[in-house]
Structures are given as structure tokens and as C-alpha cells.
Amino acid sequence: MTIRFAAVGLAHPHIFDMARRLREAGARLVACWDDDPGNLAAFVRAFPDVERSRDITAIFEDRAVDLIVSAAVHDERAGLGVRAMRHEKDFLCTKPGFTTLEQWEEVRRVWMETGRRYIVYFGERFGNPATVLAGELIQQGAIGRVVHMAGFGPHRLLGRIARPPWLFQRDRYGGILNDLASHQIDQFLFFTGSVTAEIVAATVANHRHPQFPEFEDFGEVLLRSERATGYLRVDWLSPAGLSTWGDVRLFLQGTDGYIEVRKTCDLQGRVGGDHLFLVDHHGERYIHAADTPLPFMRLFLDDLRDRTERAVEQAHVFEASRLALLAQREAKALNRSTSV
């Protein structure tokens, strides 16, 4: 059975990567829609064989469409997902999947009623070869049990990609921790084998962009579960002199060793990204992980056909998203008297 999918909501460039990876895994892209003509035109240029739909209702009512894929503006994703599930379709969106806990609760309720999937594509784990390899090594026991994780997700605000106005509107993008740090929270739960965690402390700030009063360019979180602890830092402060959009790092401390992943670059070192460093009782090891297969989309399509959970569990998606929303809600904002 070939999974037929439609791309609905094309505001973020992540839609291109998700659609491409789904097609490579064997799914068929049959339609696309966005209310912004510019977004729609860009998508059609990238996928010229796709049908451009003028009617979003027709896509949802088309019983031949199995899956809705979306990178709509952050605050629109939950509503699209609810609509998809109520039309007996599964839903895949880029992170974050929600901007409020009320959205989270509604989506979870509709999921329970319909049995359809609402999956958030955490691309920093699912789509990064070095991170996938780190997961495989840990499952093999390479560093024992992971007891601490530190994750860093810096970004460049200005550069090759023009940032849309909604990115600077708090209600629309959902805050820096809910947005960027959802990647690191997903990884904390996954790598430490934690079902849930608590937000010990969280901080947000706008250090460099006072012209955008609702924007946050820095955020950090302390996490604790019954198995491990973690520290996460995200920002929009990558300097112009960096060779890539952000020097993304992951540190995993195990009971028998540790792993460092340099996802996007190796400063003054090896060219390119996907660098993994492993230290255990036997010595030090470097692995260039760029050729590591990425199984997520293949497994995800199998899950849709078989109604299994091999790519990612729905409960994990909900919990990672809930913790990101809680971190954002509980964060203390620097230079303000109240929490965000």
C-alpha cells in the first residue's frame, strides 16, 4: 500500500525536507495548499509534479489522501492536525506541534477519539545521521546507561533565510523554549530512556533584539527525571562569521563513557557536519557519521500501514511537547518582574 500525502501549510522551509524524505521512503505526494501564494509557488517549484489545490477543504475530504504533512505557522498546526484526524487522516508536522497547552489537550483528546496519529517530526534527531548513530551506539551499550545530557541548539537569526514577521510574534511562534528546545527535550527523553521529566528551572531572555519586544533570543532549561538530569540551551545568537547557521552540539554522559556529537560543524577541525566522538574504557574514537542511514520516514510509513509505533511512540511525542510547553510557561524572563 502506497501512502498518499498532501502538504498543507508551507510557511516553514522544513516542509521541503519532510516532503522529500517521505517521497524517498516511498510515499506519493498528491497535493499541496497554502493561503500564501509565495509559499505555494516555492513549493511547486521544488516539486513541479504536485497538484496545486485551491481548496483546502477538498484535500481534507479526499478519502484517497492518507496523510497530511504540515509546516504551517506554529499556532496553526494543532488546528490542522485536529481537522486531519477528524477526516480519518494521520498528521505529521515539523516542530513545535503546539503553541499552548490548550492546543495540546485538544489534540490529545481527538487522538483518543479517532485513533489517528499526530506526529511531530523532531528533525534534529530523526534527520541527523550523527544523532541517529549515537542512538544506535547507546542501544548497543557503548557508554552504559546515559545519566546526563547536555544539548545546545544555537541558530542564526539573519542570513540566507529571510525570517517572516510571525516569528517575532509571541502568540504565533510560541516562545524559544517551546520552539527550538523541543528538539533537545525530545532527545533527553530518548537518550536517557525517560518516560517523563520535570522542569527544574527555565530562563528566557531577549539579549540582542530589542526591536522585537515579543521575541526571545536565548533560553535554557534544567531537566530531571528518575533516571537522569539534563541541561539545554538554545539561542538566536550565532555570529555572522560562523560557517553554518548554528554550532549544534550534543553531549551524552554514560556510566561507562561519553559521546559528543558535533552536528553541523567541527570548529577549526574536520570539514562538514555529522561528527561523533566516543570515549569508553577502551580508548578514544572518532566516527564520521554522514553515511548513517535515516530510518525514520520508512518506519513511519510502515507504522501508518500497520498501525504500529516503530518510528516513534505517540506518547513520547505528546510528552516531549508537553514538557516544552511547561518549560516555556514556567520560564523566568531576565529583566522582567514576572514569568513568561
Side-chain angles (χ1 to χ4, degrees):
M1 170 187 168
T2 298
I3 300 296
R4 295 162 54 93
F5 73 98
V8 176
L10 315 172
H12 196 287
H14 286 170
I15 192 65
F16 298 101
D17 182 62
M18 289 194 298
R20 176 178 60 82
R21 293 185 187 278
L22 279 167
R23 296 216 305 184
E24 290 173 351
R28 181 182 174 191
L29 174 60
V30 297
C32 63
W33 178 90
D34 195 277
D35 58 3
D36 185 313
N39 292 340
L40 191 58
F43 191 82
V44 171
R45 283 195 300 270
F47 302 97
D49 56 336
V50 67
E51 178 183 342
R52 184 188 318 208
S53 177
R54 295 183 179 179
D55 185 1
I56 186 175
T57 301
I59 291 178
F60 282 106
E61 293 181 351
D62 186 348
R63 298 184 66 84
V65 174
D66 306 296
L67 171 68
I68 299 295
V69 180
S70 184
V73 179
H74 299 179
D75 66 332
E76 298 174 355
R77 293 171 189 172
L80 290 171
V82 166
R83 191 173 181 182
M85 290 188 290
R86 292 204 182 281
H87 281 84
E88 300 183 350
K89 303 182 191 309
D90 295 302
F91 185 74
L92 176 70
C93 68
T94 187
K95 61 79 204 168
F98 315 87
T99 54
T100 67
L101 284 165
E102 290 75 18
Q103 288 180 353
W104 182 89
E105 291 168 353
E106 180 185 15
V107 167
R108 192 171 182 276
R109 182 172 61 253
V110 175
W111 162 69
M112 295 178 67
E113 293 172 358
T114 65
R116 309 309 300 189
R117 303 294 167 81
Y118 186 104
I119 302 299
V120 178
Y121 183 72
F122 295 110
E124 192 178 305
R125 176 161 70 93
F126 302 145
N128 181 267
T131 311
V132 170
L133 180 58
E136 294 174 356
L137 289 169
I138 287 169
Q139 289 176 356
Q140 296 165 12
I143 61 171
R145 184 169 66 86
V146 177
V147 296
H148 185 270
M149 187 197 103
F152 302 92
H155 285 63
R156 178 181 293 145
L157 185 61
L158 302 176
R160 181 175 61 86
I161 299 176
R163 303 296 177 181
W166 56 261
L167 181 67
F168 306 101
Q169 299 168 8
R170 176 64 174 73
D171 289 342
R172 304 227 66 191
Y173 83 95
I176 191 170
L177 296 180
N178 181 56
D179 180 11
L180 301 186
S182 61
H183 280 306
Q184 282 70 34
I185 293 173
D186 158 69
Q187 290 169 81
F188 174 82
L189 295 177
F190 173 75
F191 284 116
T192 65
S194 300
V195 175
T196 187
E198 62 177 309
I199 307 300
V200 179
T203 303
V204 295
N206 186 344
H207 288 300
R208 195 172 181 269
H209 302 89
Q211 69 272 36
F212 304 121
E214 296 184 26
F215 187 63
E216 298 158 354
D217 59 21
F218 179 88
E220 61 182 356
V221 182
L222 283 174
L223 284 169
R224 179 169 58 219
S225 74
E226 292 184 352
R227 300 173 54 87
T229 56
Y231 172 76
L232 322 174
R233 192 202 76 211
V234 291
D235 64 69
W236 288 96
L237 300 174
S238 290
L242 187 67
S243 61
T244 185
W245 52 266
D247 183 7
V248 182
R249 304 281 188 100
L250 174 67
F251 297 85
L252 300 164
Q253 179 63 58
T255 53
D256 294 303
Y258 62 90
I259 288 173
E260 177 187 353
V261 177
R262 303 180 186 179
K263 302 193 182 194
T264 55
C265 65
D266 182 13
L267 291 181
Q268 295 296 298
R270 300 163 180 83
V271 175
D274 301 309
H275 306 286
L276 186 146
F277 302 86
L278 168 65
V279 182
D280 59 15
H281 295 306
H282 304 290
E284 306 162 355
R285 183 181 175 193
Y286 165 76
I287 304 173
H288 187 216
D291 293 330
T292 302
L294 303 176
F296 177 85
M297 287 302 187
R298 175 180 55 81
L299 294 174
F300 174 65
L301 294 178
D302 288 343
D303 286 340
L304 298 189
R305 285 185 283 260
D306 302 335
R307 309 318 290 177
T308 51
E309 291 187 311
R310 286 167 287 196
V312 64
E313 293 182 357
Q314 182 67 74
H316 171 91
V317 170
F318 280 140
E319 185 60 11
S321 300
R322 185 185 74 88
L323 289 171
L325 289 163
L326 285 178
Q328 188 68 52
R329 187 185 70 179
E330 297 175 9
K332 300 299 182 180
L334 297 184
N335 301 321
R336 295 183 194 172
S337 60
T338 59
S339 61
V340 173

